[in-house]
Amino acid sequence: YSSDATILRLYPQGRGGNIFTILEGVAAIAESAFYGTKNLLGIVLPDSLNTIGDRAFERSGLIELTLPASVTTLGKAPFSGSSRLTNFYVQDGSPVFSTVSGLLYSADAQTLLAYPAGRSAAEFTVPDGTQGISQSAFEGAANLTRIVLPDSVTTLGTGAFEGATSLSDIQFGAGVTSLPERAFAQTGFSTMAIPAAITRIGSEAFEGSGNLS
């Protein structure tokens, strides 16, 4: 913890025990604080918490996560590679976040913020009405092979599908006109048909996708 016990800086990777309760009064979880904590299957977040840092729970053992309504800030890819994570929940009254079928969304349900990387489904259809896929939203979702985007999706964030290593097929909706930086980095594509509507492809959009020919 920080000296005033308001920031949780690091949780020991090798600590035993399946569930950990963060002390009330903690306002922030630092970057990579729970990185690689494979023994951690559940966590109770306090109502005092407002910030979760970049990659805070990367490669953790979490199975599900409930965000208190007090949380207003999520860093980059906070749950990337958490290969057991299957559902998000958000407490009532959150002004920033919501869930749709266990996926983490913005409060207005227009932006998909995070897909649980531990889901076993090979195919996923983004719900119609979704307008944006956030930065790193599908990062580390290793079981996905195919994604279908509805016409309502118009914006893809940086690295939206990065690290979805089995992803090899995507159906674009009519609304996507640009592929951002690192959009499909380290994915499983061997080929991709780019719709005529897409007029911009960002740098390193397919970096590390070794099967792409």
Side-chain angles (χ1 to χ4, degrees), residues 1 25 55 58 60 73 102 110 125-127 144 148 162 170 175 207 211:
Y1 286 91
R55 302 189 178 278
E58 184 173 9
S60 75
T73 302
Q110 293 185 353
T125 298
V126 174
L144 280 177
V148 178
E162 181 172 357
I170 186 167
E207 190 274 333
N211 294 330

Side-chain angles (χ1 to χ4, degrees), residues 38-167:
K38 293 297 186 181
N39 294 329
L40 184 67
L41 305 183
I43 192 164
V44 180
L45 303 179
D47 291 335
S48 55
L49 188 69
N50 56 57
T51 300
I52 295 176
D54 293 351
R55 302 189 178 278
F57 294 98
E58 184 173 9
R59 300 181 184 274
S60 75
L62 290 177
I63 295 173
E64 58 185 36
L65 183 74
T66 298
L67 290 181
S70 58
V71 175
T72 56
T73 302
L74 278 183
K76 177 184 176 182
F79 314 107
S80 173
S82 292
S83 59
R84 296 174 178 169
L85 185 61
T86 56
N87 282 291
F88 293 104
Y89 302 95
V90 176
Q91 288 181 349
D92 292 343
S94 173
V96 179
F97 305 110
S98 66
T99 55
V100 176
S101 300
L103 280 67
L104 188 62
Y105 266 80
S106 57
D108 60 9
Q110 293 185 353
T111 302
L112 196 166
L113 300 174
Y115 176 92
R119 291 199 169 183
S120 60
E123 181 172 332
F124 176 68
T125 298
V126 174
D128 193 25
T130 302
Q131 296 182 12
I133 308 294
S134 187
Q135 175 180 357
S136 306
F138 287 86
E139 185 169 336
N143 294 321
L144 280 177
T145 61
R146 184 170 191 264
I147 288 178
V148 178
L149 302 180
D151 291 344
S152 59
V153 171
T154 58
T155 303
L156 301 179
T158 300
F161 304 101
E162 181 172 357
T165 53
S166 299
L167 185 62

Side-chain angles (χ1 to χ4, degrees), residues 176-191:
V176 176
T177 59
S178 175
L179 299 185
E181 290 74 13
R182 303 191 66 81
F184 297 99
Q186 300 175 40
T187 55
F189 283 92
S190 58
T191 62

